[in-house]
Structure formats: C-alpha cells, structure tokens
Amino acid sequence: MSLEIRNINKSFGRIKAVDNVSLAIDNGTLVCFLGPSGCGKTTLLRVISGLELPDSGAILVNSQNMSTVPARNRNFGMVFQSYSLFPNMTIAANVAYGLECRKWSRADISQRVNNMLSLVHLEDQSHKFPHQLSGGQQQRVALARALAPKPSVLLLDEPLSALDAKVREELREEIKTLQRNLNITTIMVTHDQEEALTMADRIMVMKDGKVMQTGSPMDIYHRPENPFVAQFIGRMNIVPAGIGIPFSSNGDSKGARAKILGIRPENIKLSDDPASNGELTGIVDRISRLGNLTRFKISLPNKNGLGPVTVVSEVQGSSHDLQVGTPKVLKINPETVRVLEWG
Ligand SMILES: Nc1ncnc2c1ncn2[C@@H]1O[C@H](COP(=O)(O)OP(=O)(O)OP(=O)(O)O)[C@@H](O)[C@H]1O
Ligand SMILES: [Mg+2]
C-alpha cells in the first residue's frame, strides 16, 4: 500500500506538535521519522494510526482518504515503545488477540499464531507470560502481534529504544529483513540517527513539528540542506564561508553568496606538504585517540575578521606521530563541502 500524509496540523493548546507535514510513502518502503525529543514524531504517528485526530490535513492509503476512518478500521499494525503486551495473557494469546477481535476461526488463529511466532523465532515461548521474556523477546512478540492481522501498513514507535545496544542491533536487522520479505509499508519513529541510517529507505527529519528534510539516508548524510540536519546526523563542522575553505556550489547557480559551510570530519585530511592554491594551514590543538579512529581539533588562522575557527578532522587508524602545536595543511575536496546557508 502507498501512504500519503497531506498537510497535517495538530496542536495541543499553544503547542504546535505537528506543523503542516506532508509526505508520500511508496508501497513496501520503510520510512523513519527522525528528530529530537518532543519534535512531534509520536503525535504524527498517532494521527496516521487514527488514535489522534488532526486539526487539519488528510491521510490517504492507495489514494483513498482514510481521515474519517476510525483507528480500528484502518488495518494498520502498531508497535509501541515498551510494555505494550497484555501482561495477564500468554504470548500466544497476545498474538491471537487481534485475530479474535476480527472474528477469525479458531483453526485459522492457531495456524497464524504459530506462523507469526516462528517468524520472530519464538515458537517455543508461546505458553509463557510477557514477564517471563527478555525485553528483546517482548518486542518481537509485539511485532508478531502487530503483523498477525495482515495489516496494510506497519507503524513502529521507537520499538527498540528500551533495549540494550547489542539486542537493538540484532533486532534492527531482524525487523528490516522481515519488513523487506513481507514487503510491508512501514513507518518507524526513532531519535537514533544510526538506526534511521541503517534501516530506512527514506528518512524524514523533524524539528519543532516541522519537516527539516526528507531523503534517502545517503541524501540526508551527504547532502544535508540546513545546519540542523547537518549536525543532527553525524558530526559536521559548521564554519563561515569567508574563512577560506573551498566549496563547490551544490550545483546551485543562483549566484547568491555562500554564508555557512558544512564539512564532515572524515573529509578533512591533514598533510605535511606545503600549502598551495590557497590551501589553509591550521594548528593541531587537541588529539583524541579512539582506537580505530583519531580525532584532531585544528584551529584555523583568523581571516576576514571571522575570529578563530576550529574544525575537527577524523582519520582512520591510530596515528602516534602527531603532536599538539604542529602546523598542518588541510586537504579538502570541495565536492565534499556543503553550502548550508546562502547570504
Ligand atoms: N496529549 C497531549 N497533550 C498535550 N501536549 C502533548 C500531548 N501529546 C504530545 N504533546 C506535546 O506535543 C509535543 C510533541 O510531542 P510528541 O510526543 O509527539 O514528541 P516526540 O517527538 O514523540 O518526542 P519523544 O522522542 O520524546 O517521544 C511535545 O511538546 C509534547 O509535550
Ligand atoms: Mg515519542
């Protein structure tokens, strides 16, 4: 199913939780809503599910307007952040619940529950109660329960945030594989950029209820359109254009002057060759050795009255021969520099 979110607005009193959000989601894709706490991700997901009514705007499934259809009739599967299983029901009963509500036959329910539990590798746990499972297992049951009634769209609200790092990583892959195999249109809310970058086909970055940028993980990482997205996803040096770092113009020929530039630390290389062609020389201020990675803080000379500017450079491997106070020439490919604001 394809899904279209059209100009959704939702306020709580004076708080604008969702501010004119639009997005088209292709059939079978996984989209992540990514943004800091309080930016409106859950509210938007609840509006899509029908649990919350928008002030204005529409939700369309395969071009059909679902805005007035109650949540229970939308046939969307939902997984919440945590503790969403019925504690007094067995795992099998939890998964069966939605099917009983939909009046499936006993035989069909039994078969579907078995299929769903083996899909999430819990076929031998069906008689247990939720408190007898680990957090990761509980979230897999929640996933099985959401998928059991064959929903047209799967909505996941931070399904992994309550789990420890290792389980989270395993489940990421499991969910992604499941989603791809079932070819089910999925929205996943997260504030974890790594989760979004590894799982999503498309990412919608939000701030204060508004969409900051929508694109593929590669777009969002390599071609951020504003300082917020640039800094929210990975590390990014944000510097005034006048400091002298080379840049290409994002293919933008409008002739406006670049004002703010963004450069990823891995795109600043340090060299001992003499500076040529206006290359910048900086002084190594600080060195952090992080095992497989070395991070340098470099201060650049004051230029055009822009004050001292520091940038961070990251180099793979551990480099032992560098010392604080050493001058280094910055090697930067202009193609890797983004113009984040035009003057
Ligand atoms: N039922 C409600 N009544 C009043 N204000 C609400 C309600 N639900 C959400 N809000 C407010 O709307 C804004 C968006 O909240 P929302 O829960 O959608 O954020 P979120 O992006 O999901 O955050 P988090 O990452 O912390 O879960 C917040 O300022 C929140 O306080
Ligand atoms: Mg939330």
Side-chain angles (χ1 to χ4, degrees), residues 92-139:
N94 264 278
V95 178
Y97 180 80
L99 308 177
E100 284 159 2
C101 293
R102 287 168 176 77
K103 309 263 185 292
W104 284 38
S105 76
R106 238 167 214 287
D108 287 348
I109 290 177
S110 161
Q111 195 185 11
R112 185 72 178 159
V113 168
N114 287 337
N115 285 346
M116 287 297 108
L117 287 178
S118 65
L119 198 63
V120 296
H121 315 298
L122 291 173
E123 49 275 69
D124 50 350
Q125 309 283 325
S126 62
H127 58 285
K128 285 191 177 172
F129 286 89
H131 75 268
Q132 296 170 309
L133 300 186
S134 71
Q137 289 172 324
Q138 290 188 40
Q139 281 308 68

mmCIF file of all heavy atoms in Angstrom, residues 92-139:
data_model
loop_
_atom_site.group_PDB
_atom_site.id
_atom_site.type_symbol
_atom_site.label_atom_id
_atom_site.label_comp_id
_atom_site.label_asym_id
_atom_site.label_seq_id
_atom_site.Cartn_x
_atom_site.Cartn_y
_atom_site.Cartn_z
ATOM 1 N N ALA A 92 1.022 -16.511 23.158
ATOM 2 C CA ALA A 92 0.119 -16.938 22.089
ATOM 3 C C ALA A 92 -1.172 -16.124 22.120
ATOM 4 O O ALA A 92 -1.664 -15.670 21.075
ATOM 5 C CB ALA A 92 -0.190 -18.423 22.225
ATOM 6 N N ALA A 93 -1.692 -15.881 23.328
ATOM 7 C CA ALA A 93 -2.956 -15.138 23.445
ATOM 8 C C ALA A 93 -2.778 -13.683 23.019
ATOM 9 O O ALA A 93 -3.662 -13.086 22.408
ATOM 10 C CB ALA A 93 -3.475 -15.208 24.878
ATOM 11 N N ASN A 94 -1.590 -13.130 23.322
ATOM 12 C CA ASN A 94 -1.295 -11.770 22.883
ATOM 13 C C ASN A 94 -1.355 -11.665 21.361
ATOM 14 O O ASN A 94 -1.951 -10.739 20.816
ATOM 15 C CB ASN A 94 0.086 -11.338 23.374
ATOM 16 C CG ASN A 94 0.032 -10.548 24.663
ATOM 17 O OD1 ASN A 94 -0.223 -9.346 24.647
ATOM 18 N ND2 ASN A 94 0.255 -11.222 25.779
ATOM 19 N N VAL A 95 -0.725 -12.627 20.704
ATOM 20 C CA VAL A 95 -0.664 -12.585 19.239
ATOM 21 C C VAL A 95 -2.052 -12.869 18.638
ATOM 22 O O VAL A 95 -2.429 -12.318 17.607
ATOM 23 C CB VAL A 95 0.391 -13.586 18.702
ATOM 24 C CG1 VAL A 95 0.419 -13.587 17.178
ATOM 25 C CG2 VAL A 95 1.765 -13.238 19.257
ATOM 26 N N ALA A 96 -2.822 -13.718 19.354
ATOM 27 C CA ALA A 96 -4.148 -14.097 18.841
ATOM 28 C C ALA A 96 -5.180 -12.982 19.000
ATOM 29 O O ALA A 96 -6.186 -12.948 18.273
ATOM 30 C CB ALA A 96 -4.639 -15.351 19.572
ATOM 31 N N TYR A 97 -4.899 -12.057 19.929
ATOM 32 C CA TYR A 97 -5.911 -11.086 20.330
ATOM 33 C C TYR A 97 -6.565 -10.342 19.153
ATOM 34 O O TYR A 97 -7.793 -10.304 19.020
ATOM 35 C CB TYR A 97 -5.293 -10.083 21.314
ATOM 36 C CG TYR A 97 -6.274 -9.040 21.780
ATOM 37 C CD1 TYR A 97 -7.192 -9.337 22.778
ATOM 38 C CD2 TYR A 97 -6.298 -7.764 21.207
ATOM 39 C CE1 TYR A 97 -8.112 -8.389 23.208
ATOM 40 C CE2 TYR A 97 -7.215 -6.817 21.633
ATOM 41 C CZ TYR A 97 -8.119 -7.131 22.634
ATOM 42 O OH TYR A 97 -9.026 -6.200 23.038
ATOM 43 N N GLY A 98 -5.740 -9.792 18.287
ATOM 44 C CA GLY A 98 -6.268 -9.008 17.162
ATOM 45 C C GLY A 98 -7.088 -9.858 16.196
ATOM 46 O O GLY A 98 -8.010 -9.361 15.526
ATOM 47 N N LEU A 99 -6.751 -11.138 16.136
ATOM 48 C CA LEU A 99 -7.460 -12.038 15.215
ATOM 49 C C LEU A 99 -8.829 -12.396 15.781
ATOM 50 O O LEU A 99 -9.808 -12.519 15.048
ATOM 51 C CB LEU A 99 -6.618 -13.296 14.977
ATOM 52 C CG LEU A 99 -5.171 -13.013 14.559
ATOM 53 C CD1 LEU A 99 -4.387 -14.310 14.417
ATOM 54 C CD2 LEU A 99 -5.143 -12.221 13.259
ATOM 55 N N GLU A 100 -8.876 -12.548 17.119
ATOM 56 C CA GLU A 100 -10.169 -12.805 17.766
ATOM 57 C C GLU A 100 -11.087 -11.609 17.597
ATOM 58 O O GLU A 100 -12.281 -11.758 17.298
ATOM 59 C CB GLU A 100 -9.958 -13.124 19.258
ATOM 60 C CG GLU A 100 -9.438 -14.545 19.460
ATOM 61 C CD GLU A 100 -8.751 -14.767 20.801
ATOM 62 O OE1 GLU A 100 -8.695 -13.824 21.618
ATOM 63 O OE2 GLU A 100 -8.254 -15.890 20.998
ATOM 64 N N CYS A 101 -10.529 -10.410 17.750
ATOM 65 C CA CYS A 101 -11.335 -9.199 17.550
ATOM 66 C C CYS A 101 -11.913 -9.171 16.137
ATOM 67 O O CYS A 101 -13.006 -8.661 15.910
ATOM 68 C CB CYS A 101 -10.497 -7.938 17.748
ATOM 69 S SG CYS A 101 -9.944 -7.718 19.433
ATOM 70 N N ARG A 102 -11.145 -9.704 15.189
ATOM 71 C CA ARG A 102 -11.605 -9.692 13.800
ATOM 72 C C ARG A 102 -12.397 -10.955 13.440
ATOM 73 O O ARG A 102 -12.652 -11.212 12.278
ATOM 74 C CB ARG A 102 -10.402 -9.536 12.870
ATOM 75 C CG ARG A 102 -9.803 -8.134 12.889
ATOM 76 C CD ARG A 102 -8.455 -8.111 12.177
ATOM 77 N NE ARG A 102 -7.879 -6.785 12.093
ATOM 78 C CZ ARG A 102 -7.270 -6.154 13.109
ATOM 79 N NH1 ARG A 102 -7.167 -6.723 14.298
ATOM 80 N NH2 ARG A 102 -6.774 -4.943 12.931
ATOM 81 N N LYS A 103 -12.701 -11.756 14.469
ATOM 82 C CA LYS A 103 -13.570 -12.936 14.292
ATOM 83 C C LYS A 103 -13.001 -13.987 13.341
ATOM 84 O O LYS A 103 -13.712 -14.573 12.533
ATOM 85 C CB LYS A 103 -14.984 -12.529 13.808
ATOM 86 C CG LYS A 103 -15.662 -11.447 14.627
ATOM 87 C CD LYS A 103 -16.607 -12.064 15.657
ATOM 88 C CE LYS A 103 -17.413 -11.027 16.421
ATOM 89 N NZ LYS A 103 -16.620 -10.181 17.320
ATOM 90 N N TRP A 104 -11.668 -14.189 13.399
ATOM 91 C CA TRP A 104 -11.081 -15.285 12.642
ATOM 92 C C TRP A 104 -11.541 -16.615 13.261
ATOM 93 O O TRP A 104 -11.869 -16.667 14.454
ATOM 94 C CB TRP A 104 -9.547 -15.224 12.706
ATOM 95 C CG TRP A 104 -8.901 -14.192 11.843
ATOM 96 C CD1 TRP A 104 -9.342 -12.937 11.570
ATOM 97 C CD2 TRP A 104 -7.643 -14.329 11.146
ATOM 98 N NE1 TRP A 104 -8.457 -12.261 10.768
ATOM 99 C CE2 TRP A 104 -7.397 -13.108 10.490
ATOM 100 C CE3 TRP A 104 -6.702 -15.341 11.032
ATOM 101 C CZ2 TRP A 104 -6.261 -12.881 9.719
ATOM 102 C CZ3 TRP A 104 -5.562 -15.124 10.274
ATOM 103 C CH2 TRP A 104 -5.352 -13.909 9.612
ATOM 104 N N SER A 105 -11.511 -17.692 12.494
ATOM 105 C CA SER A 105 -11.884 -19.008 13.046
ATOM 106 C C SER A 105 -10.759 -19.516 13.946
ATOM 107 O O SER A 105 -9.601 -19.109 13.802
ATOM 108 C CB SER A 105 -12.123 -20.002 11.915
ATOM 109 O OG SER A 105 -10.873 -20.424 11.387
ATOM 110 N N ARG A 106 -11.125 -20.429 14.871
ATOM 111 C CA ARG A 106 -10.153 -20.994 15.804
ATOM 112 C C ARG A 106 -8.952 -21.602 15.073
ATOM 113 O O ARG A 106 -7.799 -21.391 15.453
ATOM 114 C CB ARG A 106 -10.838 -22.102 16.597
ATOM 115 C CG ARG A 106 -10.825 -21.890 18.068
ATOM 116 C CD ARG A 106 -11.806 -22.866 18.731
ATOM 117 N NE ARG A 106 -12.418 -22.244 19.898
ATOM 118 C CZ ARG A 106 -11.777 -22.038 21.041
ATOM 119 N NH1 ARG A 106 -10.527 -22.412 21.173
ATOM 120 N NH2 ARG A 106 -12.374 -21.460 22.051
ATOM 121 N N ALA A 107 -9.241 -22.373 14.040
ATOM 122 C CA ALA A 107 -8.170 -23.069 13.312
ATOM 123 C C ALA A 107 -7.243 -22.067 12.633
ATOM 124 O O ALA A 107 -6.008 -22.208 12.685
ATOM 125 C CB ALA A 107 -8.777 -24.013 12.272
ATOM 126 N N ASP A 108 -7.824 -21.053 12.010
ATOM 127 C CA ASP A 108 -7.000 -20.041 11.341
ATOM 128 C C ASP A 108 -6.137 -19.279 12.342
ATOM 129 O O ASP A 108 -4.971 -18.980 12.070
ATOM 130 C CB ASP A 108 -7.892 -19.047 10.577
ATOM 131 C CG ASP A 108 -8.489 -19.668 9.326
ATOM 132 O OD1 ASP A 108 -8.027 -20.771 8.945
ATOM 133 O OD2 ASP A 108 -9.408 -19.059 8.739
ATOM 134 N N ILE A 109 -6.745 -18.973 13.496
ATOM 135 C CA ILE A 109 -5.996 -18.241 14.520
ATOM 136 C C ILE A 109 -4.802 -19.067 14.983
ATOM 137 O O ILE A 109 -3.673 -18.583 15.028
ATOM 138 C CB ILE A 109 -6.899 -17.900 15.737
ATOM 139 C CG1 ILE A 109 -7.927 -16.834 15.341
ATOM 140 C CG2 ILE A 109 -6.047 -17.402 16.905
ATOM 141 C CD1 ILE A 109 -8.910 -16.467 16.435
ATOM 142 N N SER A 110 -5.047 -20.325 15.273
ATOM 143 C CA SER A 110 -3.983 -21.182 15.782
ATOM 144 C C SER A 110 -2.833 -21.276 14.782
ATOM 145 O O SER A 110 -1.651 -21.186 15.141
ATOM 146 C CB SER A 110 -4.591 -22.549 16.090
ATOM 147 O OG SER A 110 -3.579 -23.495 16.160
ATOM 148 N N GLN A 111 -3.180 -21.415 13.510
ATOM 149 C CA GLN A 111 -2.141 -21.517 12.491
ATOM 150 C C GLN A 111 -1.369 -20.202 12.331
ATOM 151 O O GLN A 111 -0.137 -20.189 12.253
ATOM 152 C CB GLN A 111 -2.780 -21.912 11.161
ATOM 153 C CG GLN A 111 -1.737 -22.377 10.167
ATOM 154 C CD GLN A 111 -2.323 -22.662 8.805
ATOM 155 O OE1 GLN A 111 -3.480 -22.323 8.510
ATOM 156 N NE2 GLN A 111 -1.535 -23.301 7.973
ATOM 157 N N ARG A 112 -2.116 -19.099 12.338
ATOM 158 C CA ARG A 112 -1.487 -17.789 12.162
ATOM 159 C C ARG A 112 -0.552 -17.464 13.332
ATOM 160 O O ARG A 112 0.540 -16.941 13.137
ATOM 161 C CB ARG A 112 -2.583 -16.716 12.039
ATOM 162 C CG ARG A 112 -2.088 -15.316 11.733
ATOM 163 C CD ARG A 112 -1.600 -15.177 10.313
ATOM 164 N NE ARG A 112 -1.156 -13.814 10.006
ATOM 165 C CZ ARG A 112 -0.334 -13.495 9.022
ATOM 166 N NH1 ARG A 112 0.119 -14.441 8.211
ATOM 167 N NH2 ARG A 112 0.015 -12.254 8.812
ATOM 168 N N VAL A 113 -0.996 -17.783 14.547
ATOM 169 C CA VAL A 113 -0.177 -17.514 15.734
ATOM 170 C C VAL A 113 1.140 -18.301 15.635
ATOM 171 O O VAL A 113 2.224 -17.765 15.865
ATOM 172 C CB VAL A 113 -0.944 -17.865 17.033
ATOM 173 C CG1 VAL A 113 0.008 -17.863 18.240
ATOM 174 C CG2 VAL A 113 -2.081 -16.884 17.254
ATOM 175 N N ASN A 114 1.036 -19.576 15.236
ATOM 176 C CA ASN A 114 2.260 -20.375 15.078
ATOM 177 C C ASN A 114 3.184 -19.782 14.027
ATOM 178 O O ASN A 114 4.396 -19.687 14.224
ATOM 179 C CB ASN A 114 1.910 -21.821 14.704
ATOM 180 C CG ASN A 114 1.331 -22.569 15.884
ATOM 181 O OD1 ASN A 114 1.572 -22.186 17.031
ATOM 182 N ND2 ASN A 114 0.547 -23.597 15.620
ATOM 183 N N ASN A 115 2.598 -19.386 12.909
ATOM 184 C CA ASN A 115 3.407 -18.797 11.837
ATOM 185 C C ASN A 115 4.109 -17.528 12.301
ATOM 186 O O ASN A 115 5.298 -17.323 12.025
ATOM 187 C CB ASN A 115 2.531 -18.445 10.623
ATOM 188 C CG ASN A 115 2.142 -19.679 9.844
ATOM 189 O OD1 ASN A 115 2.719 -20.741 10.049
ATOM 190 N ND2 ASN A 115 1.149 -19.551 8.964
ATOM 191 N N MET A 116 3.348 -16.675 12.984
ATOM 192 C CA MET A 116 3.905 -15.386 13.412
ATOM 193 C C MET A 116 5.014 -15.596 14.439
ATOM 194 O O MET A 116 6.053 -14.938 14.388
ATOM 195 C CB MET A 116 2.797 -14.506 14.021
ATOM 196 C CG MET A 116 1.831 -13.951 13.021
ATOM 197 S SD MET A 116 2.648 -12.831 11.846
ATOM 198 C CE MET A 116 2.626 -13.816 10.401
ATOM 199 N N LEU A 117 4.805 -16.531 15.380
ATOM 200 C CA LEU A 117 5.826 -16.766 16.406
ATOM 201 C C LEU A 117 7.084 -17.382 15.801
ATOM 202 O O LEU A 117 8.193 -17.075 16.231
ATOM 203 C CB LEU A 117 5.270 -17.618 17.545
ATOM 204 C CG LEU A 117 4.295 -16.859 18.461
ATOM 205 C CD1 LEU A 117 3.750 -17.776 19.553
ATOM 206 C CD2 LEU A 117 4.949 -15.636 19.095
ATOM 207 N N SER A 118 6.922 -18.202 14.766
ATOM 208 C CA SER A 118 8.149 -18.735 14.171
ATOM 209 C C SER A 118 8.838 -17.662 13.321
ATOM 210 O O SER A 118 10.063 -17.624 13.231
ATOM 211 C CB SER A 118 7.887 -20.011 13.376
ATOM 212 O OG SER A 118 7.081 -19.737 12.274
ATOM 213 N N LEU A 119 8.062 -16.747 12.781
ATOM 214 C CA LEU A 119 8.641 -15.626 12.032
ATOM 215 C C LEU A 119 9.593 -14.812 12.910
ATOM 216 O O LEU A 119 10.626 -14.333 12.457
ATOM 217 C CB LEU A 119 7.489 -14.724 11.542
ATOM 218 C CG LEU A 119 7.752 -13.741 10.426
ATOM 219 C CD1 LEU A 119 8.127 -14.464 9.146
ATOM 220 C CD2 LEU A 119 6.514 -12.876 10.183
ATOM 221 N N VAL A 120 9.243 -14.642 14.184
ATOM 222 C CA VAL A 120 10.106 -13.866 15.087
ATOM 223 C C VAL A 120 10.929 -14.783 16.013
ATOM 224 O O VAL A 120 11.448 -14.349 17.035
ATOM 225 C CB VAL A 120 9.294 -12.840 15.921
ATOM 226 C CG1 VAL A 120 8.666 -11.804 15.006
ATOM 227 C CG2 VAL A 120 8.228 -13.512 16.770
ATOM 228 N N HIS A 121 11.024 -16.072 15.626
ATOM 229 C CA HIS A 121 11.871 -17.046 16.324
ATOM 230 C C HIS A 121 11.481 -17.256 17.784
ATOM 231 O O HIS A 121 12.339 -17.335 18.659
ATOM 232 C CB HIS A 121 13.351 -16.630 16.238
ATOM 233 C CG HIS A 121 13.750 -16.201 14.864
ATOM 234 N ND1 HIS A 121 13.701 -17.048 13.777
ATOM 235 C CD2 HIS A 121 14.152 -15.009 14.380
ATOM 236 C CE1 HIS A 121 14.085 -16.396 12.702
ATOM 237 N NE2 HIS A 121 14.354 -15.153 13.025
ATOM 238 N N LEU A 122 10.197 -17.311 18.062
ATOM 239 C CA LEU A 122 9.748 -17.534 19.440
ATOM 240 C C LEU A 122 8.737 -18.675 19.527
ATOM 241 O O LEU A 122 7.911 -18.705 20.445
ATOM 242 C CB LEU A 122 9.114 -16.245 20.004
ATOM 243 C CG LEU A 122 10.054 -15.074 20.269
ATOM 244 C CD1 LEU A 122 9.263 -13.832 20.666
ATOM 245 C CD2 LEU A 122 11.067 -15.414 21.345
ATOM 246 N N GLU A 123 8.809 -19.607 18.582
ATOM 247 C CA GLU A 123 7.779 -20.657 18.539
ATOM 248 C C GLU A 123 7.716 -21.474 19.824
ATOM 249 O O GLU A 123 6.660 -21.968 20.178
ATOM 250 C CB GLU A 123 7.937 -21.576 17.312
ATOM 251 C CG GLU A 123 9.319 -22.140 17.046
ATOM 252 C CD GLU A 123 10.204 -21.190 16.243
ATOM 253 O OE1 GLU A 123 10.601 -20.131 16.795
ATOM 254 O OE2 GLU A 123 10.519 -21.485 15.083
ATOM 255 N N ASP A 124 8.848 -21.548 20.538
ATOM 256 C CA ASP A 124 8.843 -22.369 21.753
ATOM 257 C C ASP A 124 8.484 -21.576 23.014
ATOM 258 O O ASP A 124 8.625 -22.069 24.123
ATOM 259 C CB ASP A 124 10.214 -23.040 21.923
ATOM 260 C CG ASP A 124 11.344 -22.041 21.810
ATOM 261 O OD1 ASP A 124 11.075 -20.884 21.422
ATOM 262 O OD2 ASP A 124 12.500 -22.393 22.114
ATOM 263 N N GLN A 125 8.029 -20.336 22.850
ATOM 264 C CA GLN A 125 7.731 -19.498 24.019
ATOM 265 C C GLN A 125 6.241 -19.204 24.165
ATOM 266 O O GLN A 125 5.852 -18.385 25.007
ATOM 267 C CB GLN A 125 8.470 -18.145 23.885
ATOM 268 C CG GLN A 125 9.945 -18.244 23.588
ATOM 269 C CD GLN A 125 10.739 -18.617 24.809
ATOM 270 O OE1 GLN A 125 10.419 -18.223 25.924
ATOM 271 N NE2 GLN A 125 11.775 -19.422 24.613
ATOM 272 N N SER A 126 5.410 -19.849 23.354
ATOM 273 C CA SER A 126 4.014 -19.399 23.221
ATOM 274 C C SER A 126 3.217 -19.496 24.522
ATOM 275 O O SER A 126 2.300 -18.730 24.745
ATOM 276 C CB SER A 126 3.316 -20.210 22.131
ATOM 277 O OG SER A 126 3.300 -21.579 22.507
ATOM 278 N N HIS A 127 3.619 -20.412 25.423
ATOM 279 C CA HIS A 127 2.847 -20.630 26.649
ATOM 280 C C HIS A 127 3.260 -19.679 27.769
ATOM 281 O O HIS A 127 2.632 -19.622 28.800
ATOM 282 C CB HIS A 127 3.090 -22.070 27.123
ATOM 283 C CG HIS A 127 4.552 -22.338 27.352
ATOM 284 N ND1 HIS A 127 5.450 -22.527 26.308
ATOM 285 C CD2 HIS A 127 5.278 -22.389 28.488
ATOM 286 C CE1 HIS A 127 6.658 -22.707 26.799
ATOM 287 N NE2 HIS A 127 6.580 -22.623 28.121
ATOM 288 N N LYS A 128 4.351 -18.959 27.568
ATOM 289 C CA LYS A 128 4.868 -18.085 28.632
ATOM 290 C C LYS A 128 4.057 -16.796 28.746
ATOM 291 O O LYS A 128 3.296 -16.441 27.840
ATOM 292 C CB LYS A 128 6.328 -17.731 28.358
ATOM 293 C CG LYS A 128 7.303 -18.845 28.646
ATOM 294 C CD LYS A 128 8.719 -18.293 28.611
ATOM 295 C CE LYS A 128 9.755 -19.327 28.964
ATOM 296 N NZ LYS A 128 11.110 -18.792 28.733
ATOM 297 N N PHE A 129 4.301 -16.070 29.844
ATOM 298 C CA PHE A 129 3.707 -14.745 30.012
ATOM 299 C C PHE A 129 4.777 -13.691 29.733
ATOM 300 O O PHE A 129 5.981 -13.991 29.856
ATOM 301 C CB PHE A 129 3.154 -14.592 31.438
ATOM 302 C CG PHE A 129 1.884 -15.372 31.638
ATOM 303 C CD1 PHE A 129 1.919 -16.705 32.060
ATOM 304 C CD2 PHE A 129 0.652 -14.784 31.360
ATOM 305 C CE1 PHE A 129 0.749 -17.429 32.215
ATOM 306 C CE2 PHE A 129 -0.525 -15.504 31.518
ATOM 307 C CZ PHE A 129 -0.484 -16.822 31.945
ATOM 308 N N PRO A 130 4.367 -12.476 29.355
ATOM 309 C CA PRO A 130 5.358 -11.459 28.978
ATOM 310 C C PRO A 130 6.486 -11.265 29.984
ATOM 311 O O PRO A 130 7.643 -11.140 29.589
ATOM 312 C CB PRO A 130 4.504 -10.193 28.838
ATOM 313 C CG PRO A 130 3.175 -10.700 28.387
ATOM 314 C CD PRO A 130 2.985 -12.012 29.112
ATOM 315 N N HIS A 131 6.173 -11.284 31.313
ATOM 316 C CA HIS A 131 7.240 -11.003 32.285
ATOM 317 C C HIS A 131 8.288 -12.110 32.328
ATOM 318 O O HIS A 131 9.345 -11.943 32.926
ATOM 319 C CB HIS A 131 6.636 -10.782 33.683
ATOM 320 C CG HIS A 131 6.182 -12.038 34.360
ATOM 321 N ND1 HIS A 131 4.884 -12.501 34.241
ATOM 322 C CD2 HIS A 131 6.849 -12.936 35.127
ATOM 323 C CE1 HIS A 131 4.786 -13.634 34.918
ATOM 324 N NE2 HIS A 131 5.961 -13.924 35.464
ATOM 325 N N GLN A 132 7.995 -13.232 31.668
ATOM 326 C CA GLN A 132 8.983 -14.328 31.626
ATOM 327 C C GLN A 132 9.904 -14.225 30.411
ATOM 328 O O GLN A 132 10.724 -15.110 30.181
ATOM 329 C CB GLN A 132 8.254 -15.678 31.623
ATOM 330 C CG GLN A 132 7.465 -15.910 32.901
ATOM 331 C CD GLN A 132 6.544 -17.111 32.816
ATOM 332 O OE1 GLN A 132 5.764 -17.234 31.871
ATOM 333 N NE2 GLN A 132 6.635 -17.987 33.801
ATOM 334 N N LEU A 133 9.736 -13.165 29.621
ATOM 335 C CA LEU A 133 10.589 -12.965 28.448
ATOM 336 C C LEU A 133 11.520 -11.780 28.661
ATOM 337 O O LEU A 133 11.241 -10.889 29.466
ATOM 338 C CB LEU A 133 9.735 -12.688 27.210
ATOM 339 C CG LEU A 133 8.738 -13.753 26.762
ATOM 340 C CD1 LEU A 133 8.121 -13.340 25.439
ATOM 341 C CD2 LEU A 133 9.403 -15.108 26.641
ATOM 342 N N SER A 134 12.617 -11.755 27.888
ATOM 343 C CA SER A 134 13.512 -10.596 27.927
ATOM 344 C C SER A 134 12.859 -9.444 27.168
ATOM 345 O O SER A 134 11.876 -9.640 26.445
ATOM 346 C CB SER A 134 14.842 -10.954 27.261
ATOM 347 O OG SER A 134 14.635 -11.084 25.863
ATOM 348 N N GLY A 135 13.421 -8.254 27.335
ATOM 349 C CA GLY A 135 12.876 -7.077 26.639
ATOM 350 C C GLY A 135 12.854 -7.275 25.125
ATOM 351 O O GLY A 135 11.876 -6.944 24.451
ATOM 352 N N GLY A 136 13.943 -7.816 24.595
ATOM 353 C CA GLY A 136 14.026 -8.028 23.151
ATOM 354 C C GLY A 136 12.981 -9.024 22.671
ATOM 355 O O GLY A 136 12.352 -8.841 21.632
ATOM 356 N N GLN A 137 12.785 -10.091 23.471
ATOM 357 C CA GLN A 137 11.764 -11.082 23.110
ATOM 358 C C GLN A 137 10.366 -10.454 23.151
ATOM 359 O O GLN A 137 9.538 -10.718 22.290
ATOM 360 C CB GLN A 137 11.837 -12.284 24.071
ATOM 361 C CG GLN A 137 13.072 -13.139 23.843
ATOM 362 C CD GLN A 137 13.234 -14.211 24.914
ATOM 363 O OE1 GLN A 137 12.931 -13.979 26.085
ATOM 364 N NE2 GLN A 137 13.725 -15.371 24.514
ATOM 365 N N GLN A 138 10.132 -9.615 24.168
ATOM 366 C CA GLN A 138 8.815 -8.970 24.271
ATOM 367 C C GLN A 138 8.531 -8.093 23.055
ATOM 368 O O GLN A 138 7.418 -8.068 22.546
ATOM 369 C CB GLN A 138 8.733 -8.131 25.544
ATOM 370 C CG GLN A 138 8.688 -8.968 26.808
ATOM 371 C CD GLN A 138 8.424 -8.129 28.040
ATOM 372 O OE1 GLN A 138 7.618 -7.206 28.008
ATOM 373 N NE2 GLN A 138 9.114 -8.429 29.124
ATOM 374 N N GLN A 139 9.573 -7.380 22.596
ATOM 375 C CA GLN A 139 9.343 -6.519 21.436
ATOM 376 C C GLN A 139 9.104 -7.355 20.178
ATOM 377 O O GLN A 139 8.384 -6.951 19.271
ATOM 378 C CB GLN A 139 10.493 -5.535 21.229
ATOM 379 C CG GLN A 139 10.455 -4.318 22.145
ATOM 380 C CD GLN A 139 9.136 -3.564 22.139
ATOM 381 O OE1 GLN A 139 8.107 -4.044 22.607
ATOM 382 N NE2 GLN A 139 9.129 -2.356 21.612
#
